Amino acid sequence: MRVEPHPGRREQVVERLRLAIATGHFKPGARLIERELCELTGVSRTSLREALRELQSEGLITAQPNRGLTVTVITPEAAESIYQVRAVLEALAARLFVRHASDAQVTELRRSVERLAKVYANYTPEGFLSAKTGFYQVLLDGAGNQTVTNMLQQVHVRASQLRVTSLSNPSRAKKSIAEIRRFVAAIEARDEDAAWQLCMVHVENAGHAALAILRNSKK
């Protein structure tokens, strides 16, 4: 009888590999060798393959002819489309947060921004991704729309590599937290239109920064 891998263990492996890809431990285009990944994660090949299938369905890894599985290379064109969708979904989440969030949730959103600001001041990819995940959890809980949450989480998985790319320029990091503070201030003022617009601007600027780096790397 075939024993199915424990779902909790598989999810731990998925999260670990997602983080390794998002932080650049596994570079775009790098081959993923099962034996090495089993040693890294401490799981069987059966559990590893389940995790790899999930990452492949998310678009983070790609099956290449004669090469096996590799980390997906995001083209400038694909990155642009990701940021276009992300901008609209995040702006909608901001608008819905203004409408539905409690005062306590607004306060928690501000606190999550302050935690994020500390990470920006002492930047590491791992710390940034953790703090940004916390920020979005508060935002999406307050928005109260499960469809938006599900769609944005999928987009964030695809954008995880690009987030770190956009912040590899120190000047962009400073501008980024300033933009986030402005759109959260609009949320605190319960101004739907301003929150929508400022959130759109923030994501669009992040997209421009990431695209500039991607295009320069192709030269």
Side-chain angles (χ1 to χ4, degrees):
M1 182 176 68
R2 180 173 179 267
V3 178
E4 294 294 334
H6 191 282
R9 174 65 62 85
R10 184 192 66 219
E11 190 54 38
Q12 289 174 7
V13 176
V14 169
E15 287 297 330
R16 187 168 180 181
L17 294 178
R18 276 198 200 114
L19 181 62
I21 292 170
T23 58
H25 180 79
F26 295 130
K27 304 291 185 185
R31 287 185 63 199
L32 298 175
I33 300 170
E34 285 189 3
R35 174 179 52 79
E36 294 177 358
L37 294 178
C38 286
E39 293 174 359
L40 175 68
T41 58
V43 299
S44 68
R45 289 203 173 193
T46 300
S47 295
L48 177 68
R49 286 170 181 169
E50 290 286 343
L52 291 174
R53 276 194 286 271
E54 185 168 341
L55 293 174
Q56 191 173 359
S57 72
E58 293 175 349
L60 289 178
I61 61 177
T62 304
Q64 297 281 0
N66 303 318
R67 293 198 69 208
L69 293 175
T70 63
V71 177
T72 300
V73 176
I74 301 179
T75 65
E77 294 75 18
E80 187 172 16
S81 69
I82 289 169
Y83 274 102
Q84 286 171 346
V85 175
R86 181 185 156 194
V88 174
L89 288 173
E90 288 192 18
L92 177 57
R95 183 184 290 278
L96 293 174
F97 190 94
V98 171
R99 291 183 188 177
H100 303 304
S102 66
D103 290 342
Q105 286 173 316
V106 173
T107 298
E108 183 55 33
L109 188 68
R110 170 57 66 185
R111 288 175 180 158
S112 73
V113 172
E114 298 312 314
R115 289 191 290 269
L116 188 59
K118 290 179 181 178
V119 172
Y120 275 65
N122 299 281
Y123 179 80
T124 64
E126 295 84 358
F128 166 74
L129 290 171
S130 176
K132 203 66 184 286
T133 297
F135 170 80
Y136 283 120
Q137 182 175 344
V138 178
L139 181 69
L140 292 171
D141 285 349
N145 186 306
Q146 192 60 48
T147 300
V148 172
T149 296
N150 293 342
M151 294 177 70
L152 195 50
Q153 285 174 342
Q154 291 176 13
V155 171
H156 283 168
V157 167
R158 295 288 288 121
S160 57
Q161 290 170 277
L162 300 170
R163 282 188 193 158
V164 173
T165 298
S166 71
L167 290 171
S168 60
N169 182 336
S171 65
R172 174 57 202 156
K174 292 180 180 178
K175 292 176 182 176
S176 178
I177 193 63
E179 291 163 4
I180 293 171
R181 288 186 189 280
R182 283 194 289 271
F183 95 72
V184 170
I187 286 175
E188 290 175 318
R190 300 286 183 172
D191 187 333
E192 284 188 28
D193 292 339
W196 168 282
Q197 185 60 39
L198 290 167
C199 188
M200 287 280 287
V201 167
H202 167 64
V203 179
E204 288 171 354
N205 287 344
H208 293 327
L211 284 167
I213 293 170
L214 286 176
R215 286 170 176 149
N216 286 336
S217 69
K218 302 295 182 183
K219 294 180 180 179

